[in-house]
Amino acid sequence: MAERQVTIDRVHRPLPSTFFVIATQNPIESHGAYPLPEAQLDRFAAKLSIGYPDRESELELLEADSKGQLGTDEVKPVLDPASLCRLQQRVMQTVVGEKVRRYLVDLAQATRTDSEIDVGLSPRGLITWQRVAQSRAFLRGRDFVSPEDVQDVATPVLGVRLLGNFSSSDEIVSRLLEEMPAAVDSIQTINVEIRDAIQSGNIDEAHELLHEMEHLVDELPDVAADTDLTEQDWKEIQKASEQLSEAFGKLDESFHVEDSDPQAVYDGVAESIDSAVEQISQRIPADADVPATGNSSSEHDHGQDEPNEASPEEQRLKHSAAKHGAAYRWHGAGACCCRYAHSVSSQSLTSYVGVVAARYACGPSLIYCGIGLAGSILLVAIFPYSSLTDSMAHTDPMAPLQMLLVAIPAYATPLNVMMQVGGMFVHGNSVGAAYVLLALGAGANLGQLAWAYRMYGLKQATAFLAVFVVVVTAIAYSIEDPLYSAGEVDHPHTHAFDVYACPYTGNGSDLASKAWTKIREDARMYEVAGLAGVCFLIAVGAVLRVMDPENQLDSKLASWGERQRSDTESVFHADLPGPVLGAVSLIGLVAMSVAGCYVFYPAPEDTLQDLQIVKADALTYASSGDVENAVKSIERYDDLTRKLQVGYYLRNFELSEFQQARARVLRGRLERLKDLLEAEHDFDEVRDSNWEISESHRRVREAFTPQED
């Protein structure tokens, strides 16, 4: 819980940053659960009492049970681990002001001196209290912690830690909060503090105070509306608030603009600020419920208590932009406020690129991609499940020509094609067919042919395709025998082409349901994110084509960026020669490729651990007759053995033939088990195959594990 790791057999296993513990404390008979040690209690963040359901909930519970629907609701994920990590980072950026920190420390010390409390709040508990308060502020849409946040989470945070002579910790916490209320600063006080901070040159403190003042001023019209003021007085307060907002906007801008003098700016708006503060002070009643410094007690600006999509800094600047208008420009989700002239230029040029990309995404490029994908769909409709497993044999002289029929309509990426070619070399398939797949599978598709026809006409496009096919076919037949190295194979087969055949067994009924299930099982997070991004670009492009068919927005963004660029001198606007850009790009590409290799191919010890887990899954599914999951696990098993070899070579710069042979034997036995399962052989053969795989796995582990002298 605190060490963020688990140690088993002297092996330390770090836990992910999303790890947390939820412990229940259910009563035992009538005396309650056994108490935990104080040190262990201190490692829990908070204690929440669920209590009994209300009447309506219990009625719904009984109704669901009577219909047999209790516990049948599908639990759907609402957040992935990566998004949760990003939210955690944004929570830690929530600002905790000096006064709030002092308030926290004062409350903590009060728990240690109270006569009714035997064990007060520890330093660990104090840190936890601050973090929970940050979370509460973030969930309410704010980028700073207010005293109310500290107070609202005091009961669950302190309730799990305070021990003493009392029956309920809730009463003790309430009494402590009443005896030590948070100090509430008035507008006059903060105004004086801002002035003093600027005069003393403490710009950071002045900026923080100004931030607090802006939120306080935002609440003034609502605070005034909750009193017995006349409508005329309320209008005067609103006018004074707008006057303060405008003055603070100018001052806030001076903190971010280079070569700006905040002192001079403050002197220029001081009279306006003092006048507005005086107007407000004369009209706000002394007993009005003014929120504490930096607190936004009203939620009309934020809606529900949910985290904002933008970061806290972006939210603050967005809020400021809404008040000052000309001070900042807000450019939507993922954008930031432009403070410098060169930022405006960069933002406009970036927007221009985005607009052009959206137009192309909703243009002919979309049609070409659709035609390319239609080729793969056509192959799936033609070839039944596993019909290509035994095709493209080395002994078949027609194999390269057969591959032509698959490679041209196939929509394949270079990485997938290279993996398929590697599988063909291992399993004794035609080398010429492998070359055809590499050249035409990754180098041509129906969408590309449609583009060539549109750009160059039927005659030239047909001539190009004919020459391409003839050259590739000639090379394929010329390299067939010289490059073949698999030896004699009794039954050459491969699963490399299963992606081009129908992925479902049996008849063609309920294809939509099967397709959706397949997508949900195989889709990766980055694939879903990429598809969402493409769909977003297409939607934006469709809107632009309808609303702006003359491309006026594109021209404005381009001219605006160039105008700002010409008016601003910045190192970011330097014109670099083409060779320099090419060299930098090449070096960056190589560096990123090398780093990506080490990330994608982990250390052998890590891969061996993953292999052990996948092996258990594969053999368990095979023994239980779950063919579908067994095949998936076997394919993952095979992939990990290859990663093991590459990862070992990257770190040791050598890979012995002995190691390659043992890995090759293991993959061969995995392939045999997969064939047995798909051919529905009897259990004894599957069991024998499982035993052989276990032995091969042990030998692979020994071959790739460093031997101690």
Side-chain angles (χ1 to χ4, degrees):
M1 294 169 61
E3 287 71 19
R4 315 296 302 176
Q5 66 179 9
V6 175
T7 303
I8 302 176
D9 294 336
R10 294 181 294 179
V11 178
H12 303 296
R13 304 182 187 276
L15 297 171
S17 59
T18 55
F19 173 81
F20 66 99
V21 174
I22 298 178
T24 59
Q25 191 175 27
N26 297 319
I28 298 177
E29 295 181 349
S30 60
H31 301 290
Y34 294 107
L36 296 174
E38 290 83 353
Q40 189 171 355
L41 285 173
D42 202 24
R43 282 162 172 77
F44 286 95
K47 171 184 170 183
L48 303 174
S49 178
I50 298 176
Y52 289 107
D54 57 28
R55 179 180 177 82
E56 295 300 324
S57 298
E58 289 189 322
L59 288 173
E60 294 177 2
L61 188 69
L62 293 176
E63 182 179 1
D65 181 64
S66 63
K67 295 180 179 179
Q69 299 175 351
L70 192 61
T72 59
D73 293 341
E74 181 181 358
V75 179
K76 299 180 180 179
V78 297
L79 207 63
D80 59 87
S83 300
L84 180 57
C85 290
R86 289 193 295 269
L87 290 177
Q88 289 175 334
Q89 294 172 359
R90 285 164 57 181
V91 168
M92 295 304 296
Q93 297 171 0
T94 305
V95 178
V96 183
E98 179 66 24
K99 295 177 182 178
V100 175
R101 288 196 296 268
R102 292 178 182 273
Y103 183 47
L104 275 167
V105 172
D106 290 342
L107 287 170
Q109 292 181 347
T111 64
R112 301 163 189 164
T113 58
D114 192 280
S115 59
E116 294 187 62
I117 300 176
D118 296 336
V119 179
L121 188 67
S122 67
R124 185 199 302 272
L126 180 60
I127 294 174
T128 302
W129 196 355
Q130 175 176 273
R131 291 182 179 177
V132 177
Q134 287 177 298
S135 302
R136 196 266 189 186
F138 176 74
L139 290 174
R140 295 180 71 84
R142 284 184 275 104
D143 59 351
F144 66 94
V145 176
S146 72
E148 277 71 15
D149 296 319
V150 174
Q151 296 167 355
D152 288 348
V153 300
T155 298
V157 172
L158 298 182
V160 74
R161 291 173 171 82
L162 301 185
L163 301 176
N165 300 319
F166 48 81
S167 58
S168 173
S169 60
D170 296 357
E171 298 177 358
I172 296 296
V173 174
S174 299
R175 178 172 59 79
L176 289 174
L177 295 177
E178 291 176 0
E179 294 175 353
M180 190 173 293
V184 179
D185 289 337
S186 64
I187 293 179
Q188 297 94 323
T189 303
I190 306 175
N191 185 31
V192 173
E193 291 178 351
I194 293 175
R195 180 184 305 166
D196 293 343
I198 293 177
Q199 291 176 351
S200 62
N202 194 342
I203 301 302
D204 291 338
E205 181 182 355
H207 193 192
E208 182 179 337
L209 291 169
L210 179 63
H211 187 194
E212 296 178 356
M213 181 68 123
E214 288 176 332
H215 285 281
L216 187 59
V217 169
D218 286 346
E219 295 300 318
L220 285 176
D222 285 353
V223 171
D226 197 27
T227 65
D228 294 329
L229 289 176
T230 63
E231 183 177 356
Q232 182 61 34
D233 286 337
W234 183 86
K235 290 181 178 179
E236 292 295 331
I237 290 176
Q238 186 182 39
K239 180 179 178 181
S241 299
E242 294 173 353
Q243 184 176 333
L244 283 175
S245 297
E246 182 180 357
F248 289 146
K250 296 178 180 178
L251 184 59
D252 195 11
E253 187 176 7
S254 70
F255 292 147
H256 305 295
V257 178
E258 295 177 342
D259 301 327
S260 178
D261 184 3
Q263 178 65 60
V265 175
Y266 184 84
D267 292 341
V269 298
E271 183 176 353
S272 176
I273 292 176
D274 292 340
S275 173
V277 169
E278 183 65 22
Q279 290 288 333
I280 293 171
S281 301
Q282 291 177 358
R283 288 175 170 82
I284 293 289
D287 59 347
D289 186 17
V290 182
T293 300
N295 176 39
S296 179
S297 59
S298 173
E299 300 175 18
H300 65 93
D301 289 334
H302 305 294
Q304 298 178 351
D305 296 347
E306 298 178 354
N308 297 294
E309 291 300 325
S311 67
E313 177 66 7
E314 292 169 351
Q315 285 294 323
R316 188 187 69 77
L317 294 173
K318 180 181 179 182
H319 182 69
S320 183
K323 294 190 296 181
H324 324 134
Y328 300 109
R329 302 284 182 181
W330 179 254
H331 292 283
C336 61
C337 296
C338 305
R339 300 175 180 174
Y340 306 101
H342 71 264
S343 298
V344 175
S345 174
S346 301
Q347 185 67 38
S348 62
L349 292 178
T350 302
S351 302
Y352 172 75
V353 172
V355 168
V356 173
R359 288 191 186 277
Y360 273 91
C362 189
S365 297
L366 178 61
I367 299 176
Y368 298 142
C369 290
I371 295 174
L373 292 174
S376 295
I377 297 174
L378 179 64
L379 291 176
V380 170
I382 294 175
F383 296 110
Y385 179 79
S386 296
S387 60
L388 298 176
T389 301
D390 300 325
S391 62
M392 317 301 172
H394 167 66
T395 56
D396 184 3
M398 300 298 293
L401 296 179
Q402 293 175 3
M403 181 56 72
L404 282 175
L405 301 177
V406 175
I408 292 179
Y411 192 89
T413 62
L415 179 60
N416 287 338
V417 167
M418 293 183 69
M419 294 177 63
Q420 291 161 2
V421 168
M424 294 176 69
F425 272 82
V426 171
H427 296 103
N429 293 106
S430 168
V431 175
Y435 176 77
V436 172
L437 177 63
L438 181 63
L440 290 175
N445 57 68
L446 296 184
Q448 186 184 48
L449 297 179
W451 170 83
Y453 166 76
R454 181 173 180 270
M455 296 297 297
Y456 303 105
L458 178 62
K459 184 177 180 180
Q460 290 181 317
T462 304
F464 166 77
L465 178 62
V467 172
F468 193 11
V469 169
V470 170
V471 172
V472 169
T473 305
I475 295 176
Y477 277 101
S478 66
I479 65 175
E480 180 67 51
D481 290 329
L483 296 185
Y484 184 76
S485 60
E488 294 185 5
V489 180
D490 295 333
H491 183 59
H493 69 287
T494 178
H495 294 279
F497 312 127
D498 287 353
V499 295
Y500 303 128
C502 181
Y504 316 114
T505 59
N507 54 35
S509 61
D510 199 16
L511 288 179
S513 176
K514 292 180 179 179
W516 177 244
T517 302
K518 187 73 174 176
I519 292 173
R520 286 194 303 174
E521 290 176 350
D522 296 348
R524 308 267 180 93
M525 180 58 66
Y526 66 85
E527 294 172 333
V528 176
L531 179 61
V534 171
C535 292
F536 175 77
L537 277 179
I538 293 173
V540 173
V543 172
L544 290 173
R545 286 185 174 274
V546 174
M547 304 298 294
D548 185 22
E550 302 298 328
N551 298 352
Q552 296 180 1
L553 178 60
D554 310 37
S555 302
K556 289 181 180 179
L557 287 173
S559 61
W560 181 32
E562 290 299 322
R563 184 171 61 254
Q564 294 290 344
R565 184 173 184 269
S566 61
D567 296 340
T568 308
E569 296 182 1
S570 172
V571 67
F572 297 103
H573 296 154
D575 292 326
L576 298 178
V580 174
L581 289 174
V584 172
S585 300
L586 182 59
I587 294 173
L589 179 62
V590 172
M592 292 298 294
S593 299
V594 172
C597 285
Y598 280 88
V599 172
F600 188 76
Y601 298 101
E605 52 269 21
D606 296 332
T607 307
L608 285 171
Q609 291 180 3
D610 294 337
L611 274 171
Q612 185 66 29
I613 297 173
V614 175
K615 170 203 157 191
D617 291 339
L619 301 189
T620 300
Y621 287 134
S623 300
S624 62
D626 189 345
V627 176
E628 184 177 356
N629 287 318
V631 169
K632 291 180 181 178
S633 299
I634 290 172
E635 292 173 350
R636 173 66 175 156
Y637 202 170
D638 182 278
D639 182 58
L640 284 175
T641 61
R642 302 178 191 276
K643 281 191 175 183
L644 176 65
Q645 292 178 265
V646 178
Y648 186 93
Y649 181 83
L650 288 175
R651 288 158 180 81
N652 298 279
F653 301 103
E654 63 176 359
L655 186 65
S656 67
E657 293 183 1
F658 173 73
Q659 291 172 319
Q660 297 180 53
R662 286 203 160 176
R664 187 165 56 249
V665 170
L666 175 58
R667 286 196 297 271
R669 289 179 171 173
L670 288 174
E671 191 73 19
R672 180 175 180 275
L673 175 60
K674 185 177 180 181
D675 292 336
L676 290 175
L677 292 172
E678 292 180 342
E680 300 181 355
H681 282 259
D682 59 38
F683 177 79
D684 290 337
E685 290 184 275
V686 173
R687 182 189 58 194
D688 294 340
S689 180
N690 285 353
W691 182 85
E692 293 173 354
I693 289 173
S694 298
E695 289 299 304
S696 295
H697 181 97
R698 176 182 58 81
R699 297 186 183 102
V700 167
R701 185 177 66 249
E702 292 173 352
F704 285 88
T705 301
Q707 301 297 324
E708 298 181 358
D709 297 332

